[in-house]
Amino acid sequence: MKLVNKFALWYLAMTSLVLLAGGVIVFRSVQHENDEEEVRRLRGRIEDARRMLKTGTRPDSLQSPNIEITEIDLAAPRIRFHVRDTMGWHSKFQGTERQIWATASYTIHGHHYAITAKDFAPEPEETLRGVVLSLSWIFFLLLVVVGLTSILISKKILSPFNQSLRVIQAFNLKQKEPIRLPETRTDEFKTLNTFLGKMTDKALHDYRALKEFTENASHELQTPLAIIRGKLELLLESGISDEQARLILSAHEAIERLSRINQSLTLLTKLENQEYEPHEPVNLSTAVHKTIFSLTELMEMKSIALETDIEENVFVKLHPALTDILLTNLFSNAIRHNHEHGTIKVKLNAGSLSIQNTGPRPGIPTEQLFQRFRKSNQSGDSIGLGLSIVKRISEVSRFSVCYQFEEPWHLLKLDFTADKLSVAR
Amino acid sequence: MKVLIVEDNRELAENIRGYLAREACVCEHGYTYGEAQDKIAAYQYDCIILDIMLPDGDGLDLLEFIRTRKAGSSVLIISAKNALDDKVNGLELGADDYLTKPFHLPELHARLKAIYRRKNLDGDHVVSFNEISVNTATLEARVNDALLELTKKEFDLLLYFLINKNRVLTRQSIAEHLWGDYADNLANFDFVYQHVKNLRKKISAANGKDYIGTVYGLGYKFNTHTA
């Protein structure tokens, strides 16, 4: 919901509450004033009748539908002025209407008279109807005015804010230029824009520094590694004893490992820096066939049976360089963590790719398998970054990836539908 | 074979020179862009090993310079950048091959020989030693003129051994030579053992000598001095 609409709705809700309370107050006071006025008039009439009686006017001549004079027992106690709210027949309207009676008794010239003055008064329902009608009009007017102004105000006042939003949405860490935010005279927006400007500048700067560091680290580490490796290879060629050779070869293996870890970490960092945006859709079916083909030999060596159910022409948005890394990681995992005469099942369709393989129960909780350097077999040859890489690639390509183990099947499933949804959106 | 090594790191250049020196290769160094450019302008090289990250220039520019001079040298790019773009750029600009650091010296040597063979079209496609000969054009391997039935991998392996005779070839280096990037994910080297075993069996079956020996239990060596 838009900010302006929220404001307007709250405003209207508050206004209707106030109008409701105001309506009750107005109704009460109008009613009260009316009745007060009526009683005063009736009191006046009784006063008039009493004065007339005092001057000697006969009570009969004063009788009318609005005034009633009856003589009561002289000994009866004097009736004090009091008011009764009742219903009376209205001859003109041919119906009963609200009527107010005021009664008082006086002793005049040795007679005791009870004087009752009556008058029709407006009923509370009628007052209420009037109040509700007028308040409804006020409410309607407010609605129109608030609605119109909110649209206009949102256009005018919020326009710098909306522009900033658009700029931020278009912001990309890879862009070379700092962002340009619109000029504004509103203090809050000024603060916001300054903050956004500073933050994105810092992000750009940090991103560049990190990228540079990654590239340098990769280069600077690979070169000495290459030197060490070369020296060891040259050393192997010289006349050395078996014992020395074994030492050199262990060192050589450690260097290999170091170099692989370095490459994998560099790749992970690049993935984290989002250097590989998923762009063109790639034909995953072809890529899967290719990967399987290149690894067939290794499967045969372990006598692993392969069952495939691959739908042709499945396209997903994925960076081509990542496609290879992803598939190779997945399949070589399925081979490495398999046992002799095991089975690998591959299933690919438009929604997902799942790879199942037989293999020993994982040695660590399954949720830790995607973490870096977490290995089921700590002493194994693998460097423990394969699944982290799979996870990262899935993340940057907006797939979801999950792992399940159900004796004896390990299942790794990539779900592409999350990607499809975001594309549709 | 005359080789120019364009590499700013002296130690790395020295490694390459040290390895190639035993193969009757004449190696010269160019440590900087300028130095390399001068040498390319002045002398003729069969092959140029080119690092594309140089302190005073881009190796890719040097590649263009080599191409415009039509010197006829083959170019092998070595780079620490594993970036796909660089690879494609380099090959498009006319490099003959691309190798990512850190590489195995036997691998560099094999690549160098391969592009050298490809360049010299009138040259010999046959690499041979005593009774074993390998034809890289027809992909045929023979022992005493008897054709060996080799798989593609076994053929590559035999060629790798023949080019790096009397060298210790580690299992990693063989794995990377045969499987390329896929070797990264397969730390188990049993399959190297399998291939070497099969190759030895096939050569012996064709009455060839068993030149390939295990070294220190961790690598292999093609021994030319086998009695």
Side-chain angles (χ1 to χ4, degrees):
Chain A
M1 189 186 267
K2 277 196 173 175
L3 189 64
V4 158
N5 296 351
K6 251 186 194 167
F7 271 129
L9 271 187
W10 273 103
Y11 180 73
L12 285 176
M14 287 299 138
T15 316
S16 28
L17 269 183
V18 169
L19 283 180
L20 214 63
V24 171
I25 294 167
V26 168
F27 167 70
R28 282 265 180 99
S29 60
V30 166
Q31 189 70 26
H32 186 249
E33 281 301 318
N34 265 347
D35 291 355
E36 255 333 53
E37 183 60 34
E38 199 59 47
V39 169
R40 216 168 40 239
R41 245 192 357 245
L42 292 176
R43 194 193 287 272
R45 274 203 216 139
I46 291 175
E47 265 319 295
D48 285 348
R50 182 179 146 207
R51 231 176 295 125
M52 299 289 265
L53 287 173
K54 262 194 180 158
T55 53
T57 319
R58 283 169 48 90
D60 300 356
S61 62
L62 289 173
Q63 288 287 20
S64 81
N66 282 341
I67 201 138
E68 212 172 86
I69 299 169
T70 42
E71 194 176 345
I72 51 173
D73 189 5
L74 200 61
R78 191 174 161 249
I79 304 166
R80 293 177 65 89
F81 182 81
H82 70 274
V83 177
R84 260 197 307 156
D85 198 332
T86 173
M87 304 297 280
W89 182 257
H90 198 296
S91 51
K92 216 191 240 167
F93 294 157
Q94 285 296 303
T96 45
E97 288 283 313
R98 180 172 174 234
Q99 210 173 30
I100 294 177
W101 292 17
T103 312
S105 72
Y106 301 97
T107 320
I108 299 164
H109 305 308
H111 297 281
H112 193 181
Y113 295 110
I115 309 169
T116 302
K118 310 176 196 172
D119 206 352
F120 289 104
E123 284 173 40
E125 289 78 25
E126 286 159 23
T127 321
L128 188 65
R129 212 173 299 136
V131 168
V132 167
L133 191 69
S134 51
L135 287 184
S136 307
W137 270 107
I138 292 173
F139 190 73
F140 174 72
L141 280 177
L142 271 175
L143 201 69
V144 171
V145 171
V146 167
L148 279 180
T149 43
S150 68
I151 291 170
L152 292 178
I153 283 173
S154 91
K155 275 226 173 99
K156 178 133 178 56
I157 293 186
L158 287 182
S159 89
F161 180 70
N162 286 329
Q163 281 178 42
S164 300
L165 266 188
R166 272 195 294 278
V167 171
I168 283 299
Q169 270 168 351
F171 176 69
N172 183 335
L173 270 180
K174 283 183 210 159
Q175 72 190 41
K176 302 246 165 19
E177 296 298 311
I179 55 167
R180 279 167 177 281
L181 292 165
E183 289 288 320
T184 168
R185 270 180 300 169
T186 317
D187 281 348
E188 284 86 345
F189 295 159
K190 256 191 226 166
T191 320
L192 179 72
N193 283 355
T194 321
F195 172 71
L196 283 178
K198 269 192 198 152
M199 206 177 66
T200 49
D201 281 353
K202 179 144 174 43
L204 281 178
H205 176 264
D206 287 359
Y207 174 74
R208 243 173 266 146
L210 194 65
K211 203 168 126 98
E212 218 165 86
F213 173 77
T214 315
E215 278 168 9
N216 289 348
S218 154
H219 182 244
E220 296 305 320
L221 280 178
Q222 294 295 38
T223 307
L225 283 175
I227 295 171
I228 299 172
R229 191 196 245 179
K231 297 286 176 210
L232 290 176
E233 272 167 351
L234 288 174
L235 201 54
L236 272 178
E237 307 282 319
S238 55
I240 46 169
S241 70
D242 278 13
E243 182 54 30
Q244 285 166 327
R246 248 182 282 283
L247 292 175
I248 293 169
L249 279 168
S250 324
H252 192 269
E253 270 176 13
I255 289 290
E256 296 290 331
R257 222 176 139 71
L258 198 55
S259 144
R260 282 214 316 271
I261 292 175
N262 183 38
Q263 276 170 4
S264 301
L265 285 178
T266 311
L267 175 67
L268 276 172
T269 316
K270 279 187 177 174
L271 286 172
E272 236 137 83
N273 288 354
Q274 313 202 313
E275 280 182 44
Y276 299 99
E277 285 281 313
H279 47 126
E280 299 291 287
V282 294
N283 189 332
L284 201 62
S285 312
T286 323
V288 168
H289 282 304
K290 214 182 96 197
T291 313
I292 290 177
F293 177 74
S294 60
L295 294 171
T296 310
E297 206 178 358
L298 302 174
M299 287 187 253
E300 281 168 4
M301 226 163 260
K302 263 186 134 173
S303 309
I304 293 169
L306 180 71
E307 291 171 25
T308 55
D309 175 11
I310 297 169
E311 202 173 287
E312 293 306 317
N313 294 320
V314 172
F315 283 88
V316 289
K317 269 180 121 184
L318 189 61
H319 195 284
L322 298 185
T323 315
D324 269 357
I325 298 170
L326 179 72
L327 292 177
T328 312
N329 265 311
L330 285 175
F331 281 97
S332 37
N333 254 335
I335 297 171
R336 190 189 303 142
H337 299 294
N338 220 322
H339 42 64
E340 297 267 330
H341 304 286
T343 309
I344 294 178
K345 287 186 193 171
V346 184
K347 195 174 170 191
L348 173 68
N349 55 39
S352 66
L353 166 68
S354 49
I355 297 176
Q356 272 184 299
N357 67 278
T358 49
R361 173 175 283 281
I364 54 170
T366 52
E367 60 270 20
Q368 290 181 6
L369 278 172
F370 288 105
Q371 291 172 14
R372 293 180 184 185
F373 301 110
R374 293 306 304 217
K375 300 186 280 187
S376 190
N377 174 7
Q378 287 294 338
S379 61
D381 284 330
S382 84
I383 54 173
L385 286 172
L387 279 183
S388 310
I389 291 176
V390 167
K391 182 145 191 272
R392 274 281 154 214
I393 293 180
S394 307
E395 276 170 15
V396 297
S397 313
R398 299 182 191 96
F399 302 160
S400 69
V401 58
C402 68
Y403 169 84
Q404 273 168 17
F405 178 72
E406 257 175 62
E407 197 95 41
W409 294 102
H410 298 261
L411 167 69
L412 252 167
K413 189 171 178 190
L414 290 182
D415 215 319
F416 314 130
T417 42
D419 176 49
K420 289 266 160 59
L421 282 178
S422 68
V423 167
R425 224 180 284 141
Chain B
M1 188 159 72
K2 206 171 165 196
V3 179
L4 176 67
I5 304 164
V6 184
E7 161 67 62
D8 59 313
N9 190 300
R10 283 167 196 259
E11 284 300 325
L12 205 57
E14 190 49 43
N15 278 355
I16 298 170
R17 198 202 57 76
Y19 195 90
L20 295 182
R22 272 182 52 190
E23 304 294 330
C25 287
V26 180
C27 293
E28 283 185 23
H29 290 171
Y31 297 120
T32 60
Y33 186 93
E35 214 178 309
Q37 203 169 22
D38 288 349
K39 291 210 165 155
I40 293 163
Y43 308 105
Q44 179 84 33
Y45 295 98
D46 294 312
C47 192
I48 297 168
I49 297 171
L50 180 64
D51 181 3
I52 51 173
M53 278 164 97
L54 293 170
D56 56 341
D58 189 342
L60 289 178
D61 295 339
L62 206 54
L63 183 60
E64 269 186 308
F65 175 74
I66 296 166
R67 286 292 153 248
T68 49
R69 296 196 45 91
K70 298 203 168 61
S73 327
S74 348
V75 176
L76 173 64
I77 290 179
I78 47 173
S79 167
K81 276 198 199 163
N82 197 4
L84 203 66
D85 285 348
D86 276 353
K87 213 167 200 158
V88 173
N89 271 343
L91 294 179
E92 263 176 11
L93 280 171
D96 297 276
D97 209 345
Y98 188 106
L99 199 55
T100 313
K101 285 181 197 171
F103 44 80
H104 292 275
L105 290 172
E107 179 67 33
L108 176 78
H109 182 215
R111 299 267 188 122
L112 213 54
K113 280 282 162 69
I115 56 179
Y116 182 63
R117 279 196 307 272
R118 250 186 285 144
K119 265 283 147 75
N120 301 289
L121 280 182
D122 7 303
D124 209 354
H125 291 293
V126 180
V127 180
S128 61
F129 175 75
N130 289 355
E131 70 271 29
I132 301 174
S133 68
V134 167
N135 188 324
T136 54
T138 58
L139 299 181
E140 282 173 346
R142 289 169 192 276
V143 173
N144 294 323
D145 290 330
L147 192 64
L148 281 184
E149 289 280 337
L150 297 183
T151 63
K152 175 81 175 62
K153 290 272 187 306
E154 285 159 2
F155 181 87
D156 288 345
L157 184 60
L158 180 57
L159 186 60
Y160 196 48
F161 272 124
L162 283 180
I163 291 192
N164 294 295
K165 288 189 289 280
N166 290 322
R167 303 278 199 178
V168 178
L169 298 179
T170 59
R171 290 183 304 185
Q172 290 96 329
S173 133
I174 294 175
E176 262 169 54
H177 181 72
L178 295 184
W179 281 276
D181 287 343
Y182 293 108
D184 269 9
N185 300 286
L186 301 160
N188 184 336
F189 292 109
D190 287 348
F191 52 92
V192 173
Y193 167 76
Q194 282 285 344
H195 278 282
V196 174
K197 197 175 85 180
N198 290 345
L199 180 64
R200 286 167 79 174
K201 227 188 267 171
K202 285 182 183 177
I203 294 174
S204 300
N207 293 322
K209 260 193 208 161
D210 188 11
Y211 297 103
I212 302 169
T214 313
V215 188
Y216 318 122
L218 294 161
Y220 299 93
K221 191 171 178 179
F222 189 95
N223 283 306
T224 53
H225 313 299
T226 318

